Amino acid sequence: MMILAVETATSVQSVAVVGENGLCATEAVKQTRSLATATDRSHRWSIMPAIDRLLNALNVTLCDIDGFVVSIGPGSFTGLRVGLATMKGLAYGTNKPLVAVPTLHALAFNVAGLGFPICTALDAKRGELFLAVWHTQQASDAHDSLTCVMDPQRLSIENAVDALSAHVQGTVIVVGDGVSLCRQMLSGRFGNRAVFPTGIACVPSALSVAHVGKERLARGMLAGEKLTPIYLRPPDAKPNLPYRAVGSDTSSGVTT
């Protein structure tokens, strides 16, 4: 089984192809602008060439892919929209299944083998975090070792630390780009029981999305036609629509 996955929820975007025996190839997608200013078109331009390069390097085509996996957030509005639209289009065009993986699940998968509770924290902007808490157990497969004990939420930093304290009393692994926002407060609350890994484990990646998605595909956990991203907050950008008072008739210019 060969899986193509994309991760576009954060600024560290990537694509990956995973085969029957593990990793085939992965590629980071370089963004020349921030997610706050990127457009749907700029994201689409960067994702599709990366997919093409990866498939060409492996000497495979989209027809060789058995399933598509996409990270569905929470995260960047633009990144999530483009990632989902791209993978929906590829799945529909090839008549292959599509699997959705929550971004915080893929992030937790990176450190599931360490055997401690996990806090996944992504920067939600405005001094807030996208947070989820996971417990781990001994299992032969990392997919079976993760149990979500606090569903993804958008919380202030103080409330996030309180929520984590309510679910974890011992050692906790904290990963994600939101660590820089809450590290000082977590260290004050947990002391040396809060562990902050560094490096590639700290960001969600298409590789971890692919591994989680591959297991979901094997279990028949397919995405429905009405799949939408997990946003957890309203968009920062609002449509520039003309204001119309309630009860007004814009066709006649008369307020009723």
Side-chain angles (χ1 to χ4, degrees):
M1 180 183 294
M2 189 172 292
I3 300 297
L4 173 63
V6 300
E7 205 309 294
T8 58
T10 72
S11 59
V12 186
Q13 300 176 28
S14 56
V15 299
V17 173
V18 171
E20 194 66 39
N21 298 319
L23 173 65
C24 285
T26 185
E27 178 174 332
V29 180
K30 295 181 179 179
Q31 288 296 327
T32 57
R33 61 178 76 185
S34 70
L35 290 180
T37 59
T39 64
D40 284 7
R41 180 174 295 181
S42 69
H43 275 265
R44 192 172 294 113
W45 282 346
S46 59
I47 289 296
M48 285 308 302
I51 291 174
D52 289 339
R53 287 192 299 270
L54 204 55
L55 295 179
N56 289 335
L58 295 170
N59 195 29
V60 299
T61 69
L62 287 173
C63 294
D64 299 313
I65 300 298
D66 298 299
F68 298 90
V69 185
V70 61
S71 171
I72 58 166
S76 156
F77 280 88
T78 300
L80 292 173
R81 283 197 305 270
V82 171
L84 182 55
T86 300
M87 298 307 271
K88 274 186 172 181
L90 294 178
Y92 179 80
T94 58
N95 196 29
K96 299 292 178 63
L98 176 66
V99 175
V101 172
T103 305
L104 295 178
H105 187 170
L107 183 56
F109 179 83
N110 288 346
V111 292
L114 297 179
F116 293 102
I118 301 165
C119 171
T120 48
L122 292 179
D123 185 359
K125 309 304 180 185
R126 301 179 182 176
E128 295 179 321
L129 296 170
F130 294 132
L131 195 86
V133 181
W134 311 77
H135 283 178
T136 61
Q137 59 187 10
Q138 293 296 326
S140 58
D141 193 321
H143 303 282
D144 297 323
S145 69
L146 281 172
T147 301
C148 186
V149 296
M150 191 188 90
D151 290 334
Q153 297 182 32
R154 175 173 56 91
L155 300 169
S156 67
I157 296 173
E158 184 175 356
N159 287 343
V161 174
D162 289 340
L164 179 58
S165 299
H167 289 89
V168 179
Q169 283 71 51
T171 298
V172 59
I173 308 296
V174 188
V175 291
D177 64 8
V179 167
S180 60
L181 300 177
C182 61
R183 181 167 185 159
Q184 183 176 359
M185 191 173 292
L186 282 174
S187 296
R189 183 77 61 90
F190 284 84
N192 59 10
R193 292 180 291 122
V195 179
F196 307 97
T198 58
I200 193 171
C202 297
V203 295
S205 70
L207 179 57
S208 54
V209 170
H211 282 300
V212 175
K214 185 178 180 181
E215 180 64 20
R216 288 189 165 207
L217 178 58
R219 296 181 179 184
M221 300 171 65
L222 306 183
E225 293 183 0
K226 296 183 179 180
L227 175 67
T228 57
I230 301 171
Y231 288 129
L232 295 186
R233 74 177 308 156
D236 293 327
K238 304 292 185 182
N240 188 21
L241 299 176
Y243 173 76
R244 182 168 70 91
V246 175
S248 64
D249 183 351
T250 56
S251 62
S252 63
V254 177
T255 300
T256 58

